[in-house]
Amino acid sequence: MDDTDIPWSATGLDPLAGRVLEHLVAVRSADRDEVASAAGVSPSEAERALRHLTDAALASRIGGAVPRWAAAPPRPSLGALLARRRAELARVENLVERLSEAHEAVSSARATDMVEVLMSRDEVPARYRQLLRGSSSEVLHLAKPPYVTGAAASGETAAVTPGVRMRSVYELDGFTDAVSLRTALRGTGQGGKLRLTSQIPVKLAIFDRGAALMPIWGDRPSSGSVVVHSPALVTALVALFESVWERAEPVSLTKRHDLPEPEPERGLPASGRDLRTREILRMMAAGMKDETIARILAVSRRTVQQHISDAGSLLGARTRFQLAVLAGKRGWLSEQGDSMPQPLPAR
């Protein structure tokens, strides 16, 4: 048996003593040289291990011209050893509590436990990635320029646990250039939900509703951030996110280069373009510019304008405002089960 498979250190035994005990329980008895040969160590090392087992009441020495050792019944002997170790750990835990209370009394540790201050340029993205990877159920975030692009520029992508629900709201100004758009699209996957709004009060990421990350200075997010652990503050920040989410417009950033030929939907032409048209109209209604829509969908600006023109002609709309209103009444701006990307929270 490989001694790395058993954490003998948890019992107070070193790996050699553990190996010797495993040998003794498999034989009726053994002398020092037999133990040394079985364990692959010198006789003196074997004797030290046997002495350790005897002191721990895990083995007993049998008298004779050549001393031999036999293992004690493992269940009661090891059980008693583990009980002693548990009692020792309980005393250490009590000591930790007393030391923590003494430390908090002189350093106000309770307050600092509620908020972490991150000032180093490298510390902020590292803590962000750690919180993201540690999330198990939900990540909420409000994203607005300027973005922290260090990690993205190096090609590093933070891992998100599969099954974690993602809800993100991006400020429209975050979709005005290629760099910010790549930031918004970085790390996309299936299952997340994304919305756009004209203005976001503060950059924010909330992890499992237990911790929240936000910049100290709104215009300089790379200059420092705070991680909030206070339940009351996190609850307030979740409420802030939900209020922004409710006012924001849903939009899909799924790139569809080769759309299938679907059935006609609510009066859209049966040209294989209805899904793409609805997608473009949804982005247009959210306030996105033609250039931005084209960049997201990997099509030309002229293609975007043609979709908008065709939809306007079909609905009899003279302006984009009229088109958005009429398309909304027809239900063309609803998501209707479209798969949404799961954006990686922008920092």
Side-chain angles (χ1 to χ4, degrees), residues 114-182:
M114 294 296 99
V115 178
E116 301 174 48
V117 179
L118 311 174
M119 298 300 297
S120 166
R121 185 176 184 85
D122 297 327
E123 191 178 16
V124 175
R127 188 70 176 105
Y128 164 83
R129 291 191 296 270
Q130 184 183 40
L131 289 166
L132 192 63
R133 292 189 184 106
S135 299
S136 60
S137 60
E138 182 182 50
V139 175
L140 312 172
H141 70 105
L142 304 178
K144 61 182 296 182
Y147 297 123
V148 179
T149 58
S154 64
E156 183 175 356
T157 302
V160 183
T161 304
V164 173
R165 298 184 301 275
M166 309 284 288
R167 282 195 290 153
S168 308
V169 183
Y170 279 83
E171 195 171 89
L172 278 171
D173 286 347
F175 290 81
T176 56
D177 58 73
V179 173
S180 55
L181 178 59
R182 284 197 301 270

Side-chain angles (χ1 to χ4, degrees), residues 87-106 109-110:
E88 292 172 0
L89 288 173
R91 289 196 294 271
V92 173
E93 288 176 351
N94 289 334
L95 174 61
V96 169
E97 289 301 317
R98 293 199 303 272
L99 292 175
S100 296
E101 291 173 2
H103 181 259
E104 290 168 1
V106 299
R110 291 187 186 276

